Amino acid sequence: MSIGVLALQGSFNEHLAALRRIGVKGVEIRKPEQLQHVIALIIPGGESTTMAKLAECHNLFPALRDFVKTGKPVWGTCAGLIFLANKAVGQKSGGQDLVGGLDCTVHRNFFGSQLQSFETELSVPELVAKEGGPATFRCVFIRAPAILKAGPDVEVLADYPVPLEKLICSKSVDESQEEKLRSEEKVIIAVKQGNLLATAFHPELTADTRWHSFFLKMVGEAGDQKLNCISTTEGDLSDHQTPNDLPIFQ
């Protein structure tokens, strides 16, 4: 079995390249029936409204929701996080359909516009405990969402400190949340809940593949089906390389 990557729009090529670098075959998913042939799924970053419209056009939402309910691992990055959330705020007029399954409230564009995109080194103890390597991970935020509220079964893997005025001024923050935000002054940017993994940033845009390896361990824990592995030698990968194989941030 292979790992599927939703390939409607966004950084799906970068996820496929990252999977190849750790020796696992990824396949592009554009039709509902293709989900029957993958053991796990990555929903990449991109423009969430556009991705939702394309998913609706291809009648993918029912199949995606069923896939999540089967217990197979699903990882959403940036726009993929929005897709997996049970509730999204800060959306455009009319909103968008969600796949759901992740017990959280996400602010669709918490960190601002394209011009406010940024990179930062953040502590990720759970990732380091399982994958080793540096104590921090370089997180790339591009018009990124943030999780404002997570349910009791959601494991927080990473959070990000933000100015208090940013939290209080957010249109998504109601009075019941304000006291909690005043004491924490941070938002959640990576979580795990059962078979679901979500990150507000873009690990696929770095040379560091630890989040992809972390996800593979979730796949291994979910069942005994064998992953479709490929050789990671330079010769074997040369026929598959595209400009997107080169990580944007080293």
Side-chain angles (χ1 to χ4, degrees):
M1 300 289 286
S2 302
I3 291 181
V5 181
L6 191 64
L8 299 176
Q9 188 264 347
S11 57
F12 60 89
N13 273 319
E14 287 81 358
H15 274 294
L16 291 167
L19 290 172
R20 287 199 293 272
R21 289 199 297 274
I22 58 176
V24 175
K25 182 179 180 182
V27 296
E28 297 178 9
I29 301 295
R30 294 188 177 89
K31 299 178 180 180
E33 57 268 24
Q34 293 173 320
L35 288 168
Q36 301 173 13
H37 307 292
V38 295
I39 195 172
L41 178 69
I42 297 174
I43 305 177
E47 211 294 314
S48 62
T49 304
T50 300
M51 289 174 63
K53 289 179 179 178
L54 290 170
E56 184 177 1
C57 180
H58 291 279
N59 196 31
L60 267 164
F61 275 109
L64 289 170
R65 292 178 184 127
D66 288 343
F67 193 92
V68 168
K69 291 175 183 177
T70 65
K72 293 180 179 180
V74 182
W75 175 19
T77 63
C78 196
L81 160 60
I82 299 170
F83 263 50
L84 290 178
N86 283 344
K87 181 180 179 181
V89 296
Q91 300 191 70
K92 294 180 179 179
S93 178
Q96 67 178 70
D97 281 340
L98 302 173
V99 174
L102 187 61
D103 185 14
C104 71
T105 298
V106 61
H107 189 294
R108 179 182 176 273
N109 194 22
F110 182 84
F111 289 102
S113 69
Q114 188 82 15
L115 293 176
Q116 294 168 301
S117 300
F118 64 99
E119 304 169 54
T120 187
E121 295 281 346
L122 291 179
S123 174
V124 281
E126 183 67 18
L127 180 71
V128 175
K130 288 197 173 183
E131 303 301 327
T136 60
F137 188 91
R138 189 161 190 80
C139 300
V140 180
F141 292 86
I142 303 175
R143 293 184 64 192
I147 295 173
L148 302 178
K149 183 179 179 182
D153 295 328
V154 177
E155 178 185 2
V156 176
L157 302 179
D159 52 39
Y160 182 74
V162 294
L164 179 61
E165 56 269 22
K166 168 68 174 176
L167 289 168
I168 301 305
C169 291
S170 171
K171 293 180 181 179
S172 63
V173 177
D174 56 36
E175 292 181 1
S176 65
Q177 292 176 282
E178 186 170 329
E179 184 177 351
K180 184 172 187 291
L181 291 173
R182 284 187 182 278
S183 65
E184 296 184 352
E185 298 186 30
K186 60 187 178 182
V187 289
I188 302 167
I189 46 92
V191 295
K192 179 179 180 294
Q193 180 187 350
N195 62 310
L196 303 180
L197 177 67
T199 54
F201 48 91
H202 290 263
E204 75 279 8
L205 298 184
T206 76
D208 191 336
T209 56
R210 284 181 293 167
W211 279 104
H212 290 81
S213 296
F214 184 92
F215 184 59
L216 288 192
K217 284 185 171 60
M218 290 177 57
V219 177
E221 293 166 357
D224 57 1
Q225 295 188 57
K226 187 177 179 181
L227 275 171
N228 191 351
C229 297
I230 58 176
S231 171
T232 56
T233 61
E234 183 176 351
D236 290 329
L237 289 179
S238 60
D239 292 338
H240 301 281
Q241 288 179 340
T242 71
N244 289 313
D245 284 343
L246 298 176
I248 297 174
F249 300 104
Q250 294 280 4

